[in-house]
Amino acid sequence: MAQSDVALFAPLPVLTLTVEDQAGRPDIHVHAGSQGVWQARMLVTLGSSVTMCCVLAGETGLVLRHLLEDEGVTVKAVQGVGRNGAYVHDRRGGERVEVAEAPSDSLTRHELDELYGITLSAALDAGAVLLSGPSDHQTDEDAVPADAYRRLAADLRAVGKPVIADLAGDRLSAVLESGLTVVKVSHEELLADGRAADGDQDSLVKAMHQVHEQGAEYVIVTRAHDPLLLLADGVVRIVRMPRLQAADTKGAGDSLTAGVTATLARGGDVEDAIRLGAAAGMLNVTRHGLGTGDVEAVLKLRELVTVERLEPGADDTGAAGREAKVTPRDLAERTQGS
């Protein structure tokens, strides 16, 4: 029996302070942040048990442990010698304005070895493993070396665990070398990595097939406001959903990855996984909290997600932009009684 549904490799979470406006007065929120944290938050929302494997260090690390555990995440952490990063954002004007940031310290060889060991141990007791990158605010590209991801993916596949990766750049290349179950990547990341010549659909589909040939069983590509693309069993599928009014688009891709991982960890198939993931990402954009949502709303939204085979030569770029946006009232009417 798995001790956790998902083992999550999230090496360097960060502490976030966000200033909001509440009736003309500053309202300060303190949370754990980073890609892995947002994924963990949505996984817990969807009812999955999560063991997060990370390094916690310094004053910020002490606070992060309490915040993560308070959200229902099981934390297996290496006690680091440096510090976890932190940032302060001001949202009182409606947009995120960065006030200050302090990146995490890079991992030492000893910390990385310990983190590798606790991740492998947690993974052996989990239904699936999710490999997440360091925070976007981490300025040192060598903070967590790509080769650590390669070795971890190889060992996890060797013991028969489904492995999902939400990575780009050298880290994506590294896990593909080892082989894995699912890669989720954005079209912007494919362009930045030189995997796609441009952002048109044909180029993205070609890049997806190349990523599959390099080691990913399934490939998911997000395209901002355009429909998702899924490559499974040699066939590209287009994933459509209503466009909801966006409060904050940041974190939507991480919610998508969480929904996919939650389904696969329970033995579901990839089409069921992409439907739940799309619904989780769709709801996340309506909220200011990253990786947040209501499980009942996600399950109802899942019924509005369609998955269709993409016929050769078809061009669905921009299709989402031609769909009417959905207001909260529309959403309530569509999901009533679902």
Side-chain angles (χ1 to χ4, degrees), residues 206-217:
K206 182 178 179 181
M208 292 173 74
H209 281 285
Q210 290 174 342
V211 170
H212 167 66
E213 291 166 2
Q214 290 167 359
E217 185 176 355

Side-chain angles (χ1 to χ4, degrees), residues 154-236:
D155 287 346
L156 293 170
R157 292 288 277 178
V159 297
K161 293 296 177 179
V163 180
I164 299 92
D166 193 342
L167 302 167
D170 291 342
R171 296 185 180 102
L172 173 56
S173 297
V175 293
L176 288 173
E177 185 179 334
S178 297
L180 69 167
T181 311
V182 178
V183 161
K184 176 262 173 184
V185 64
S186 72
H187 79 281
E188 294 99 335
E189 290 167 335
L190 290 176
L191 289 168
D193 291 349
R195 294 181 180 275
D198 53 54
D200 71 66
Q201 188 164 276
D202 289 342
S203 293
L204 296 177
V205 168
K206 182 178 179 181
M208 292 173 74
H209 281 285
Q210 290 174 342
V211 170
H212 167 66
E213 291 166 2
Q214 290 167 359
E217 185 176 355
Y218 305 119
V219 183
I220 298 167
V221 173
T222 59
R223 300 188 293 169
H225 297 301
D226 290 327
L228 304 170
L229 296 175
L230 165 69
L231 173 60
D233 303 319
V235 177
V236 175

Side-chain angles (χ1 to χ4, degrees), residues 7-13 51-56 65 74-80 84 105-124 129-134 142-145 148-149 151-152 155-156 171:
L8 173 57
F9 181 72
L12 290 168
T51 297
M52 176 184 288
C53 303
C54 59
V55 174
L56 298 177
R65 179 184 287 276
T74 298
V75 178
K76 294 188 71 171
V78 174
Q79 184 61 51
N84 289 84
D105 290 327
S106 297
L107 301 185
T108 66
R109 181 180 62 80
H110 176 70
E111 289 167 349
L112 188 58
D113 285 347
E114 279 201 58
L115 179 59
Y116 195 97
I118 65 173
T119 303
L120 195 58
S121 174
L124 291 172
V129 186
L130 174 54
L131 303 182
S132 180
D142 295 324
V144 185
Y149 285 89
R151 294 188 297 114
L152 194 52
D155 287 346
L156 293 170
R171 296 185 180 102

Side-chain angles (χ1 to χ4, degrees), residues 12-17 30-33 54-68 79-88 101-105:
L12 290 168
V14 299
L15 184 66
T16 76
L17 290 89
V30 181
H31 295 290
C54 59
V55 174
L56 298 177
E59 294 175 344
T60 46
L62 182 64
V63 176
L64 281 166
R65 179 184 287 276
H66 289 290
L67 292 173
L68 290 166
Q79 184 61 51
V81 296
R83 66 175 181 182
N84 289 84
Y87 63 78
V88 181
E101 71 167 297
S104 303
D105 290 327

